[in-house]
Amino acid sequence: MQRKCKMAVIGLGQRGYAYAQMILADPSAELTAICEISDDRAENFTRELGIESVPRFKTVDELVAKGDFEAAIVTLPDWLHRDCAIACCNAGKHIMLEKPMAPTADECRDIIRAIEKNKCQVQIGFVLRHHPMFRKVIELAHSGVMGQILNITSTEHIGVMHGASYMRRWHRKTANSGGFVLAKCSHDIDIISAVADSRAVRVASFGSLNFFTPDKMKYQYCSQCPDQACRFRFKGEMVRMSENEKKNPSAVEKPFDLCVYNDDKDVVDHQVAIIDFANGIKANFALNLFAQVAKRTICVAGTEAILYADTADEFITMHNSATGETQKIDCKAENDSGHGGSDETFLKDFIDCVVKNRPSGVDFKAGLSSTVIGNAIEEARQTNRVVEIPQEAYQW
């Protein structure tokens, strides 16, 4: 019988809470520690989860010094990833690090050096690699059945309130996350790169803030605003608040209900990017924040076939240009966890990596690559020029 993996969750926000729930439900894992700086949130959420007896720590340093765990799931804000990951690795702990790996490539390299020095297993939070649809898209693209792949077209259609939440949360500042595309769409960059199976050599990008502009702001916080019909009025979307925070979301240290039209942000509300890969494949990506139905789509064009996939439809349609045949491939979710069932299988894979001491299929190289490309896309947008990515950018 396989032993249970002793796990810690660092950061009890929305993602950390979800992973804690999955660990508690997984017979191959045991939640042996949590780390959360806020006493209020920690007490509230441990009570909700029924884990008051699980040892709780306020800082990562305290956790690694006194906690009994072998692997940690890091769900802290992006700019805290480097220090937390390095502390865990230096303590000999394996890590599952939420995407993106870090806001800058240099921070990723710092983490990689700690991983290699301490021989830790690491899995970067690109859960879509385990999504039935994207897993099949990558398989088909690499199988040869589509002939030579020439281009990839990908779009993330973010639901209205999910997209709006990026205008009021910590993601609204590029310094915290590396920009909107890296913070939210590093999943998509990773899938595009996996399909292309090559390194990106240059990118171009255009994006700006044209809707969530500060001239439309009337009140700083939703709790102050009398407009109950506002389309973007905060109702607790995309965050997990304690009972105290729910009572007055404006009064806490980092307010939850900042007006989406605030002047304290520098991110975009729409963007497109073009990526040129070393093997000749061209890709383009579009970001949409105002979708009625949240979904991701991808079209992969080869010389023998073209496929189109849509996460909302849960199937792939492939048109064979050589035979004239059309094939539909079912890609329904395998469970009801987040990201189309990907979260649960992703966690199980990480647990297996730790217990069997085997490398992850989504390792630090994928994390570094996505950040390198995301940084280049943001640079291209800000400078209005094509940005070349040298080969050494992918080295550490």
Side-chain angles (χ1 to χ4, degrees):
M1 182 177 178
Q2 180 172 296
R3 66 175 177 83
K4 287 191 174 186
C5 179
K6 293 184 175 181
M7 308 191 76
V9 172
I10 303 177
L12 274 182
Q14 186 186 42
R15 288 297 283 164
Y17 188 95
Y19 275 117
Q21 283 184 308
M22 287 187 285
I23 292 169
L24 292 171
D26 195 316
S28 65
E30 180 183 4
L31 184 62
T32 57
I34 60 169
C35 184
E36 168 57 49
I37 194 169
S38 166
D39 288 332
D40 174 48
R41 293 169 67 81
E43 290 170 8
N44 196 126
F45 299 156
T46 54
R47 186 169 59 251
E48 285 183 18
L49 290 165
I51 55 171
E52 294 95 332
S53 61
V54 174
R56 194 171 80 213
F57 304 91
K58 289 194 70 167
T59 68
V60 175
D61 288 343
E62 184 186 8
L63 170 70
V64 298
K66 300 177 182 178
D68 178 22
F69 67 103
E70 58 187 312
I73 297 179
V74 180
T75 63
L76 297 174
D78 301 351
W79 78 90
L80 298 174
H81 282 192
R82 175 179 61 181
D83 290 350
C84 179
I86 290 173
C88 288
C89 289
N90 286 342
K93 312 299 183 182
H94 306 293
I95 51 172
M96 197 254 268
L97 186 58
E98 260 294 359
K99 62 84 190 169
M101 186 174 183
T104 70
D106 282 341
E107 288 173 289
C108 290
R109 294 185 188 100
D110 290 342
I111 296 171
I112 292 170
R113 283 189 284 270
I115 291 167
E116 292 198 318
K117 175 185 175 183
N118 296 286
K119 297 180 173 56
C120 301
Q121 300 296 348
V122 62
Q123 183 160 281
I124 306 303
F126 295 133
V127 295
L128 293 186
R129 292 283 194 105
H130 283 250
H131 191 289
M133 188 189 86
F134 290 112
R135 193 168 59 215
K136 190 64 177 178
V137 167
I138 294 168
E139 177 190 322
L140 290 169
H142 295 177
S143 70
V145 70
M146 299 182 67
Q148 181 182 349
I149 304 301
L150 297 177
N151 61 64
I152 304 162
T153 301
S154 171
T155 301
E156 180 169 9
H157 303 272
I158 305 176
V160 174
M161 290 308 292
H162 192 174
S165 75
Y166 278 78
M167 301 295 120
R168 56 168 52 107
R169 292 189 286 162
W170 56 263
H171 308 81
R172 71 186 185 275
K173 292 180 180 290
T174 299
N176 293 339
S177 63
F180 202 122
V181 165
L182 182 60
K184 180 68 181 77
C185 310
S186 53
H187 281 305
D188 307 274
I189 295 171
D190 177 65
I191 292 297
I192 291 169
S193 298
V195 171
D197 196 25
S198 181
R199 63 180 178 86
V201 294
R202 58 179 178 165
V203 303
S205 182
F206 305 95
S208 54
L209 186 80
N210 292 115
F211 180 76
F212 290 114
T213 52
D215 58 289
K216 299 172 184 172
M217 185 176 75
K218 297 177 181 178
Y219 296 88
Q220 188 172 10
Y221 303 113
C222 292
S223 59
Q224 301 170 343
C225 181
D227 185 1
Q228 297 293 325
C230 175
R231 183 184 183 193
F232 305 108
R233 189 176 185 87
F234 178 71
K235 298 182 179 68
E237 297 84 3
M238 307 314 301
V239 295
R240 180 165 285 278
M241 296 183 289
S242 71
E243 292 305 316
N244 289 332
E245 290 167 338
K246 289 176 185 177
K247 291 173 185 174
N248 196 342
S250 306
V252 294
E253 182 181 355
K254 297 177 181 177
F256 289 95
D257 68 335
L258 188 66
C259 174
V260 291
Y261 299 113
N262 68 81
D263 60 2
D264 188 36
K265 61 180 181 293
D266 61 4
V267 291
V268 302
D269 55 26
H270 65 297
Q271 190 167 354
V272 295
I274 304 169
I275 308 171
D276 188 15
F277 288 94
N279 62 0
I281 292 175
K282 311 296 186 288
N284 59 74
F285 171 75
L287 166 66
N288 168 24
L289 269 63
F290 300 92
Q292 178 188 9
V293 177
K295 63 180 182 178
R296 285 178 163 96
T297 62
I298 189 168
C299 177
V300 182
T303 55
E304 301 295 318
I306 296 176
L307 69 76
Y308 176 81
D310 184 322
T311 56
D313 293 339
E314 295 189 310
F315 62 80
I316 296 168
T317 302
M318 188 163 69
H319 304 281
N320 192 304
S321 56
T323 65
E325 296 177 344
T326 296
Q327 180 183 12
K328 283 199 171 183
I329 304 168
D330 186 11
C331 299
K332 292 192 181 300
E334 297 165 350
N335 57 71
D336 61 359
S337 67
H339 294 92
S342 304
D343 285 357
E344 185 178 306
T345 55
F346 190 78
L347 174 62
K348 287 182 179 296
D349 187 58
F350 176 60
I351 292 168
D352 191 67
C353 288
V354 173
V355 172
K356 296 180 180 177
N357 195 31
R358 65 167 178 83
S360 166
V362 195
D363 62 9
F364 62 73
K365 291 186 285 294
L368 174 61
S369 175
S370 183
T371 294
V372 165
I373 297 169
N375 287 166
I377 287 172
E378 182 62 17
E379 181 184 348
R381 182 190 73 83
Q382 291 189 15
T383 62
N384 198 31
R385 64 182 179 85
V386 174
V387 172
E388 304 283 340
I389 306 177
Q391 186 169 356
E392 53 266 26
Y394 298 96
Q395 297 172 353
W396 57 90

